């Protein structure tokens, strides 16, 4: 019987990992199944563009996985039984149970509501494609003069507010944040961003925490009422509760607790990558939930899986964090580098050049999920007859 590898999620981490494993492992010995809620590879980094009304390139997973032998199961994961090595999935046809020998968990994240009442019921968001499409439909209804309130002051909020304002100039866009808008940016980058907000006519309310969201307003902790035809919640990400409910060891925030090889500390045949995994970066800080982290964590998890299953040595992966690229509409942007303590460096690439760099990075990330070996030779490693988990880190 073949060794069954099941990959949960086909976003940046899951899709890349699955195609990489399929290219490195021998199909006589391994069977790889990917479960994903949607039939497409969704470029999550562009979902604010989708919400704003732009069309994104359609990337069917059947094409991404073509020729790899990967079995695609379009279904929603509802639970995992880590003790019995099963995953329960549901689709239009009903509920099914998949058995695995090795599991890679890469279900990503959704919005963090921070316990604020009304977010689930009344707010829109851009953290998943269905949600971005719901926001887009709402904006279509509003037409000229509609008022959109973006809640949040970090990357997604900045990108969403500027994208909506640029693509839909008839809307009134405001942003409310409990801290300083882009407060972590270097001085030059921040003033560039604020100029963009001015140019787009976005009203900014800083140091204001939203305590409740209603159908037509967001209410601040001090009682201030921000009326809005659509409130867009962009105040950070949180992981799905599935891992915590599965019996896997998780951190207080629900991210899966792993060893240096990204193996679950409670269930070593389970690996995690992307937003779902808790990793301390090379700078000693928790690795941020970002596409930039999905790459190294996928690389580490797949190297460990290959090492553990085929008896090969595992090279250490570095978890570096160099900075962020931020779009300010389609023709403007920022590329803010950070130092070893994750503090913004004084300079930043700004303007059209930064927008071009960002677009190139996003396109490369999408290309990489179907070209995970970047042109290097594929291998066909066989399943080791006796297997031991690889030691924490062994030099290549
Ligand atoms: C609008 C926006 C802009 C962003 N911009 C940037 C940026 O500029 N730079 C950056 O580094 N990061 C950015 N991010 C963050 C980045 O998108 C995520 O960190 C990254 O996608 C994480 O990759 P992942 O594979 O862990 O999760 P995802 O890419 O979210 O993939 C998870 C996959 O799992 C599937 N899934 C989820 N739940 C289930 C379920 N129950 N059953 C079956 N399938 C399921 C989803 O459909 C998805 O395909 C942005 C995010 C958003 C929303």
């Amino acid at each position: 019987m073949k060794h069954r590898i099941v990959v949960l999620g086909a976003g940046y981490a899951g899709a890349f990992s699955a195609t990489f494993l399929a290219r490195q492992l021998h199909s006589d010995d391994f069977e790889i199944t990917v479960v994903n809620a949607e039939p497409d590879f969704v470029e999550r980094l562009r979902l604010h563009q989708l919400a704003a009304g732009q069309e994104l390139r359609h990337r069917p997973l059947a094409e991404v996985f073509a020729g790899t032998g990967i079995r695609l199961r379009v279904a929603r994961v509802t639970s995992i039984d880590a003790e019995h090595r099963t995953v329960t999935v549901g689709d239009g046809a009903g509920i099914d149970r998949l058995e695995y020998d090795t599991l890679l968990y890469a279900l990503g994240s959704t919005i963090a509501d921070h316990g604020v009442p009304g977010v689930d019921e009344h707010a829109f968001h851009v953290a998943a494609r269905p949600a971005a499409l719901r926001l887009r439909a709402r904006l279509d209804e509003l037409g000229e003069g509609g008022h959109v309130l973006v809640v949040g002051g970090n990357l997604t909020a900045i990108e969403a507010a500027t994208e909506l304002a640029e693509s839909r100039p008839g809307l009134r866009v405001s942003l409310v944040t409990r801290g300083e808008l882009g407060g972590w940016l270097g001085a030059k980058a921040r003033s560039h961003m604020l100029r963009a907000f001015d140019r787009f006519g976005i009203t900014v309310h800083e140091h204001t925490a939203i305590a409740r969201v209603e159908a037509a307003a967001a209410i601040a902790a001090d009682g201030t009422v921000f009326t809005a035809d659509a409130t867009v919640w962009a105040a950070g990400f949180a992981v799905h509760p599935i891992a915590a409910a599965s019996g896997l060891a998780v951190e207080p925030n629900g991210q899966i607790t792993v060893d240096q090889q990204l193996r679950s500390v409670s269930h070593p045949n389970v690996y995690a990558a992307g937003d779902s995994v808790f990793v301390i970066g090379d700078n000693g800080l928790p690795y941020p939930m970002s596409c930039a982290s999905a790459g190294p964590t996928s690389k580490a998890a797949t190297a460990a899986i290959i090492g553990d299953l085929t008896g090969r040595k595992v090279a250490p992966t570095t978890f570096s964090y160099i900075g962020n690229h931020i779009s300010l509409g389609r023709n403007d942007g920022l590329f803010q580098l950070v130092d070893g303590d994750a503090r913004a460096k004084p300079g930043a690439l700004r303007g059209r050049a930064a927008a071009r760099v960002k677009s190139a990075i996003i396109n490369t990330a999408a290309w990489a999920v179907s070209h995970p070996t970047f042109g290097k030779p594929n291998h066909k490693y066989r399943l080791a007859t006796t297997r031991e988990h690889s030691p924490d880190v062994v030099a290549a």
Side-chain angles (χ1 to χ4, degrees):
M1 187 172 154
K2 293 186 187 183
H3 186 96
R4 297 158 301 181
I5 300 176
V6 172
V7 178
L8 303 183
Y12 291 98
F16 176 89
S17 298
T19 48
F20 186 80
L21 290 172
R23 284 179 161 78
Q24 303 300 315
L25 297 175
H26 203 295
S27 59
D28 284 353
D29 293 355
F30 297 94
E31 174 187 293
I32 301 174
T33 303
V34 176
V35 185
N36 197 60
E38 300 207 45
D40 300 319
F41 171 72
V42 173
E43 286 183 279
R44 208 171 165 217
L45 272 60
R46 293 194 186 277
L47 286 180
H48 53 301
Q49 296 176 234
L50 185 68
Q54 298 158 33
E55 293 308 325
L56 301 188
R57 185 168 155 196
H58 188 49
R59 299 177 187 274
L61 284 167
E63 285 177 17
V64 171
F65 297 149
T68 61
I70 290 171
R71 298 168 174 214
L72 172 64
R73 184 70 194 265
V74 178
R76 181 155 279 281
V77 176
T78 53
S79 66
I80 301 166
D81 182 341
E83 294 310 318
H84 296 98
R85 304 184 175 194
T86 58
V87 178
T88 304
V89 302
D91 57 20
I95 288 179
D96 199 2
R97 192 160 294 167
L98 308 178
E99 295 179 352
Y100 63 83
D101 301 303
T102 295
L103 186 74
L104 176 59
Y105 186 108
L107 290 181
S109 60
T110 183
I111 50 161
D113 66 9
H114 303 291
V116 173
V119 172
D120 267 6
E121 300 90 318
H122 303 302
F124 295 85
H125 68 85
V126 293
R129 183 163 71 173
L133 289 172
R134 270 198 299 280
L135 172 57
R136 175 184 176 136
R138 176 66 181 145
L139 300 180
D140 288 344
E141 281 169 12
L142 294 182
E144 293 283 310
H147 183 195
V148 176
L149 178 71
V150 176
V151 182
N154 212 331
L155 304 172
T156 313
I158 294 169
E159 294 198 328
T162 50
E163 199 75 46
L164 296 178
E166 183 183 72
S167 291
R168 299 193 180 236
L171 291 177
R172 271 191 307 130
V173 179
S174 320
L175 178 145
V176 59
T177 174
R178 69 177 167 196
E180 217 176 37
L181 177 62
W184 63 276
L185 291 166
K188 286 182 182 162
R190 186 158 189 272
S191 31
H192 183 90
M193 177 203 65
L194 292 175
R195 278 199 298 279
F197 269 67
D198 271 354
R199 190 172 71 241
F200 291 130
I202 304 168
T203 311
V204 177
H205 307 271
E206 295 182 313
H207 308 293
T208 307
I210 294 300
R212 193 169 80 248
V213 178
E214 297 180 349
I219 321 298
D222 66 4
T224 309
V225 176
F226 294 93
T227 55
D229 299 306
T231 297
V232 181
W233 195 261
F237 297 127
V239 294
H240 301 284
I242 294 173
S246 67
L248 293 169
V250 297
E251 298 294 312
N253 71 357
Q255 283 181 310
I256 298 177
T257 309
V258 291
D259 63 15
Q260 273 184 292
Q261 305 277 302
L262 273 54
R263 281 186 298 245
S264 158
V265 293
S266 59
H267 296 78
N269 64 327
V270 177
Y271 303 73
D275 285 356
S276 314
V277 69
F278 180 78
V279 171
I280 293 293
D282 296 345
N283 58 10
L285 299 168
Y287 219 27
M289 289 190 201
S290 73
C291 187
S293 310
T297 55
S298 303
K299 201 174 149 205
T302 51
I305 291 171
I306 292 170
D308 287 344
L309 299 182
T310 71
R312 311 194 73 76
K313 289 184 176 178
V314 180
T317 305
T318 55
F319 296 110
S320 59
Y321 173 57
I322 61 160
N324 289 101
H325 43 77
I326 307 166
S327 66
L328 302 167
R330 288 304 83 212
N331 299 306
D332 194 1
L334 292 170
F335 196 171
Q336 174 70 70
L337 294 173
V338 298
D339 64 19
D341 296 319
R343 279 194 298 258
K345 290 186 175 176
L349 187 63
R350 288 159 280 164
R352 195 176 284 271
R356 284 210 193 100
V357 169
K358 171 152 187 141
S359 185
I361 291 173
I362 297 180
N363 289 340
T364 305
W367 177 85
V369 299
S370 42
H371 301 83
T373 50
F374 288 90
K376 290 191 193 138
N378 300 329
H379 299 285
K380 289 295 164 196
Y381 296 134
R382 306 297 306 240
L383 182 65
T385 41
T386 50
R387 294 198 308 279
E388 278 178 20
H389 284 126
S390 48
D392 267 357
V393 172
V394 180

